[in-house]
Amino acid sequence: MSEVKRRDLLAGVAAFTGFATVGLLPGTAAAATRQRPGAALPPSLAAGDKAVVARVDARRALRHLRVLSDDIGWRIAGTRSEHRAARYIAGYLRELGYKVELQPFPVADKYLAEIRAKGERLWQCSASPQGAVGSVHGTVVDVGRVTEVTGDVRGKLVMFDRVTGMETEQAKAAADAGAKAALIIAARSETYPERKPGSFTPNLDEPVDIPVLGLAEYHGERVRAGARRLSFEVTHYSGLTSYNVLAERKATLPNPSGKAVIISAHYDSVPGSPGANDDGSGTVLCMELARVLRRLPTQQAIRICLWGSEEYGLIGARHYVQGLDEAGVAQITGCFQSDMVATSHPPAETYWLLSVDGADNTTTVAVNAAARRLGYVDQVQGPTARGSSDHEAFYERGIAAANFSWRGNEAPSQLEPLYHTPEDTIDQNISLKRLQVSLELIGCAAYETARHN
């Protein structure tokens, strides 16, 4: 027998032994028959499902989310905060035994402000590239939804409600009146008036010589509640590099074609938001499934991919996919992209299967089948046509992919009111129950796919 065949045989025996011992784990039998959280029907689990359900735990995932969302906080593409998150994720995956690569790619400059107010946690928002940079402190004068400034505001911070399309006039009015800065509070969308707006970048038609900040609605609320003295610094971040965190665990059984299943999410967030649900939830789902799947027998490799700079145009995922040759494309059986998989918003009762073209593919079929086995038949809808996440990059190369997400039950565009805001926190916007359901659905679907070649 050749040495290669001998190694393959030994790997297969070890994998089978590990799989067989799943039935010996405490609680495995109970997990196989117990009704899943919120499920309409009792489960009818396959052997692979039992292996996943016996191990997966949303509470473990939550520990990682506390680091990403509470400790690191906002994770803006190419900045130190995103790099901290990348290092944390990569370190954990290496501890699990995965081969890990940090894949760099360039991203655009950022103008960001960090704001301090007495009695408040540090805030962050975007700043105008056409405004000044540097440090400012002062008292806020609230002038509301206007484009002119009357009265004495010299040396003050003038706060406006945004008049969309008139931001230049608002900024110039503050500068001409002698203000130290213009603070513009984001306006609610007419299309989605239930959503609180997050920070935005005020793009002006001409430069002004004072800082111009794009505040989230939350920031305006806190100022109007009494946080009237602010100090902040606007920084221009240039020459930025973002990273994809790419981890792989090889197949434990012979895999002559080098097939692989991808489980993915994006780990960056928008300015000002700690991104607990978007997409800290998807990130920690990947990290927990990496732990659960690391030693289970498969005929395909498992790749855990965390994308950088999704919020600025799916940049990380596109960089990865564009770097694949045709052989690399052919190796990927499917990409299971999780984006916003744990919101606690009550109306977000539907777990959507979102493919770019609305058609079934390997990933949507696998998740629908897992939902039936787990008993989640009335909570899952799709496939439904929708892009707007990293699965788009795979679709563009003809790779089976879909995004999986909790959203309103009438349409997948019904996102929670705290989407992209400073209030997208663990305490305000995370459901452990929904995170557990997401873990089980993606875990069982991805593992069943990876078990076959």
Side-chain angles (χ1 to χ4, degrees), residues 264-281:
S264 65
H266 73 87
Y267 69 95
D268 65 313
S269 71
V270 297
S273 176
N277 190 44
D278 185 18
D279 188 25
S281 63

Side-chain angles (χ1 to χ4, degrees), residues 260-263 300 331-336 362-363 394 399-401 449:
V261 170
I262 291 178
I263 302 171
Q300 297 191 43
Q331 286 179 328
I332 301 171
T333 302
C335 175
F336 295 83
T362 301
T363 63
F394 291 84
I399 300 169
T449 304

Side-chain angles (χ1 to χ4, degrees), residues 345-378:
H345 181 50
E349 299 173 332
T350 301
Y351 189 80
W352 287 94
L353 284 53
L354 306 171
S355 61
V356 174
D357 58 1
D360 256 327
N361 61 53
T362 301
T363 63
T364 58
V365 169
V367 173
N368 257 326
R372 289 193 296 272
R373 298 193 304 271
L374 288 159
Y376 295 121
V377 291
D378 63 340

Side-chain angles (χ1 to χ4, degrees), residues 100-157:
V100 179
E101 172 193 356
L102 288 174
Q103 183 185 54
F105 54 93
V107 292
D109 291 6
K110 308 290 185 298
Y111 289 80
L112 302 170
E114 294 189 355
I115 306 172
R116 288 175 171 79
K118 187 176 180 180
E120 303 283 337
R121 293 190 66 177
L122 186 67
W123 300 340
Q124 186 197 54
C125 71
S126 293
S128 173
Q130 295 81 34
V133 298
S135 300
V136 175
H137 66 275
T139 302
V140 176
V141 176
D142 183 2
V143 297
R145 194 174 185 273
V146 299
T147 57
E148 297 180 355
V149 174
T150 58
D152 185 6
V153 297
R154 285 173 295 179
K156 303 293 178 64
L157 316 178

Side-chain angles (χ1 to χ4, degrees), residues 40 54 67 87 102 114 143 196 205 241 311 329 334 338 385-386 444:
V67 175
R87 289 194 300 270
L102 288 174
E114 294 189 355
V143 297
K196 297 183 70 171
D205 297 332
T241 299
E311 298 290 4
V329 167
S338 290
R386 187 171 174 85
C444 291

Side-chain angles (χ1 to χ4, degrees), residues 96-351:
L96 294 177
Y98 285 76
K99 181 181 179 182
V100 179
E101 172 193 356
L102 288 174
Q103 183 185 54
F105 54 93
V107 292
D109 291 6
K110 308 290 185 298
Y111 289 80
L112 302 170
E114 294 189 355
I115 306 172
R116 288 175 171 79
K118 187 176 180 180
E120 303 283 337
R121 293 190 66 177
L122 186 67
W123 300 340
Q124 186 197 54
C125 71
S126 293
S128 173
Q130 295 81 34
V133 298
S135 300
V136 175
H137 66 275
T139 302
V140 176
V141 176
D142 183 2
V143 297
R145 194 174 185 273
V146 299
T147 57
E148 297 180 355
V149 174
T150 58
D152 185 6
V153 297
R154 285 173 295 179
K156 303 293 178 64
L157 316 178
V158 177
M159 187 171 77
F160 300 88
D161 288 304
R162 183 183 187 182
V163 180
T164 303
M166 301 291 285
E167 296 86 357
T168 302
E169 286 74 10
Q170 291 179 310
K172 287 179 62 179
D176 291 346
K180 285 185 176 180
L183 317 180
I184 305 177
I185 304 170
R188 292 208 179 195
S189 162
E190 293 183 5
T191 307
Y192 303 107
E194 71 281 2
R195 278 188 217 158
K196 297 183 70 171
S199 173
F200 74 102
T201 301
N203 285 304
L204 310 182
D205 297 332
E206 58 186 88
V208 296
D209 59 4
I210 60 173
V212 182
L213 309 189
L215 300 183
E217 182 179 308
Y218 169 83
H219 300 137
E221 290 173 345
R222 298 310 303 154
V223 171
R224 286 167 176 162
R228 292 293 180 130
R229 288 196 58 80
L230 306 178
S231 61
F232 63 85
E233 182 168 4
V234 176
T235 304
H236 173 202
Y237 297 89
S238 61
L240 300 180
T241 299
S242 183
Y243 295 89
N244 292 325
V245 183
L246 309 176
E248 181 168 329
R249 190 224 76 179
K250 291 188 178 299
T252 58
L253 298 169
N255 182 20
S257 301
K259 293 288 188 179
V261 170
I262 291 178
I263 302 171
S264 65
H266 73 87
Y267 69 95
D268 65 313
S269 71
V270 297
S273 176
N277 190 44
D278 185 18
D279 188 25
S281 63
T283 299
V284 301
L285 175 145
C286 293
M287 296 171 75
E288 171 64 0
L289 289 183
R291 182 189 70 83
V292 168
L293 299 175
R294 60 179 167 158
R295 292 197 181 101
L296 294 182
T298 63
Q299 288 191 276
Q300 297 191 43
I302 300 288
R303 294 181 188 169
I304 306 295
C305 299
L306 287 311
W307 315 117
S309 199
E310 185 268 357
E311 298 290 4
Y312 286 85
L314 319 180
I315 297 172
R318 286 205 166 103
H319 178 79
Y320 172 81
V321 173
Q322 288 166 4
L324 297 172
D325 59 18
E326 290 307 311
V329 167
Q331 286 179 328
I332 301 171
T333 302
C335 175
F336 295 83
Q337 170 75 17
S338 290
D339 197 344
M340 302 170 63
V341 293
T343 180
S344 59
H345 181 50
E349 299 173 332
T350 301
Y351 189 80

